[in-house]
Amino acid sequence: MVAPERTGAADPDTAPPDGTAPALDAGPDPARPASSGATPTGDAPTARGGRLTGRIGSVEVLAALLILLIVLRQPLAELLTAPSLATWTTVFVSVMVQAVPFLVFGVLLSAAIAVFVPRSFWARALPRHPALAVPVASAAGVVLPGCECGSVPIAGSLIRRGVTPAAALAFLLAAPAINPIVLTATAVAFPANPEMVVGRAVASLVVAMVMGWLWLRLGRADWIRLPRRPDLDDTSRGKAFWSAVRHDIVHAGGFLVIGAMAAASINVLVPERWLQALADQPVLSVLALAALAVLLSICSEADAFVAASLSQFSLTARLTFLVVGPMVDLKLIAMQTGIFGRGFAARFAPTTFVVAVVVAAVTGMVLL
């Protein structure tokens, strides 16, 4: 029997089938003599389920934090007005505001795929040969408006429904970069350079297919460790859907917060003058904007406007920024770690970064 993920108080949905209650709610042990010191006085700790609950709980911790905030309100107010902290807060909030709506959209879609779409649909929709399924899945990203935050849980759900990992990963990389919203935003950001739209679409599609084929060649199934989901089995579709939504929001959302915090910290710590020094070096400028795309973790719907503002860099360097960002950044690495496991992220993210930089640079030299 698979143990339920949640622990704590008894839940009618997670109670053992034999009717026994969890140990936390068990009554007092009749074989254990009552302690003479456990008298029902106002000073004695309260008994719950036969156990004394004298330990500090969440209410006590919250009360202590509130008292601490009141005592330290003056130094905290001075700290919050510091320019560096204000910049950090602005970057963190902007990343979250951009990402959360698309994360929610992706979670809802992934839950619908996991619960309502039968496995037989994917067998009919995708070619049976995995090598042919990769480009079809990559091209499917054109019809799904969303960003990279939503594509991660969707890819995990596709793998659960029997889609070959190579095709699901190709979709994960292509969808955030070649969907109509992103390409339209790129055209608006670069009105004098329409070739940037073509370059972004072509380079992103090529990277997605190359990574899918590389996975077919070199990937191993044990590198992907999807969380076990007993809540999706042996229950109604409605309950399974909302259970999947709750699970993915908490799971992927937590790693999104970690990635946003890391992106904000890097944004504050990296001096702007370093970028100015690198802009005049053709090779270094490409690598610099590729690294900057990873560190800034900007949503794919907004990154074109940031790239357009980096006018001191070449178009090829800015194209690299647009190709790398939706495929490899701090929040994506954190989310991929949460959805697929550390071993997967440690191999997939660096390989994707190298392939994306090479393909974007070559595309820029040919088209731009």
Side-chain angles (χ1 to χ4, degrees):
M1 182 179 68
V2 179
E5 294 183 1
R6 296 178 293 175
T7 59
D11 190 320
D13 294 333
T14 58
D18 58 359
T20 59
L24 183 63
D25 296 323
D29 189 352
R32 181 183 300 172
S35 174
S36 58
T39 58
T41 62
D43 297 329
T46 4
R48 178 193 288 177
R51 297 183 181 181
L52 298 180
T53 58
R55 63 177 183 272
I56 298 176
S58 57
V59 177
E60 289 80 5
V61 172
L62 178 60
L65 288 175
L66 291 176
I67 295 173
L68 191 62
L69 288 175
I70 294 173
V71 173
L72 301 177
R73 63 184 183 277
Q74 186 61 33
L76 285 177
E78 296 175 358
L79 179 63
L80 291 175
T81 57
S84 58
L85 185 59
T87 302
W88 188 96
T89 305
T90 301
V91 174
F92 173 78
V93 172
S94 65
V95 170
M96 294 298 297
V97 168
Q98 291 173 2
V100 166
F102 294 99
L103 173 63
V104 173
F105 173 77
V107 165
L108 291 173
L109 184 58
S110 69
I113 291 173
V115 175
F116 298 109
V117 179
R119 294 178 183 269
S120 58
F121 170 81
W122 303 111
R124 298 191 303 268
L126 294 174
R128 293 187 177 181
H129 198 290
L132 298 178
V134 168
V136 173
S138 301
V142 176
V143 300
L144 180 62
C147 80
E148 58 272 22
C149 300
S151 65
V152 176
I154 293 174
S157 184
L158 289 174
I159 295 175
R160 283 195 180 91
R161 302 309 291 170
V163 174
T164 176
L169 297 177
F171 173 85
L172 182 153
L173 296 176
I178 66 173
N179 71 71
I181 293 178
V182 170
L183 295 181
T184 301
T186 306
V188 173
F190 292 91
N193 304 104
E195 63 273 16
M196 287 290 288
V197 180
V198 178
R200 181 174 196 176
V202 170
S204 300
L205 196 60
V206 169
V207 173
M209 291 189 296
V210 168
M211 288 302 300
W213 288 327
L214 279 178
W215 180 268
L216 286 177
R217 182 75 176 180
L218 305 175
R220 291 167 48 185
D222 58 348
W223 288 350
I224 296 180
R225 297 185 177 274
L226 293 172
R228 301 182 68 180
R229 301 299 303 277
D231 54 321
L232 300 183
D233 301 325
D234 301 328
T235 183
S236 67
R237 289 189 174 185
K239 288 184 178 180
F241 175 80
W242 290 113
S243 176
V245 169
R246 289 193 302 267
H247 177 277
D248 287 345
I249 284 288
V250 173
H251 206 66
F255 283 94
L256 173 61
V257 171
I258 294 174
M261 292 174 64
S265 301
I266 295 296
N267 193 289
V268 171
L269 295 175
V270 175
E272 188 176 352
R273 63 180 181 273
W274 291 6
L275 300 179
Q276 297 289 342
L278 293 172
D280 295 331
Q281 306 292 329
V283 177
L284 292 180
S285 64
V286 170
L287 296 176
L289 285 196
L292 187 65
V294 175
L295 300 178
L296 291 183
S297 302
I298 303 173
C299 185
S300 60
E301 272 77 11
D303 60 358
F305 300 96
V306 176
S309 68
L310 299 171
S311 55
Q312 67 269 36
F313 289 90
S314 65
L315 288 177
T316 299
R318 286 184 277 178
L319 176 63
T320 305
F321 179 89
L322 296 178
V323 173
V324 171
M327 298 184 177
V328 188
D329 62 31
L330 291 179
K331 70 176 185 298
L332 271 178
I333 294 173
M335 292 177 65
Q336 290 172 5
T337 301
I339 297 294
F340 301 109
R342 293 182 181 178
F344 170 85
R347 296 173 175 88
F348 189 74
T351 307
T352 304
F353 178 83
V354 173
V355 173
V357 170
V358 172
V359 172
V362 172
T363 304
M365 288 188 293
V366 173
L367 296 179
L368 306 178

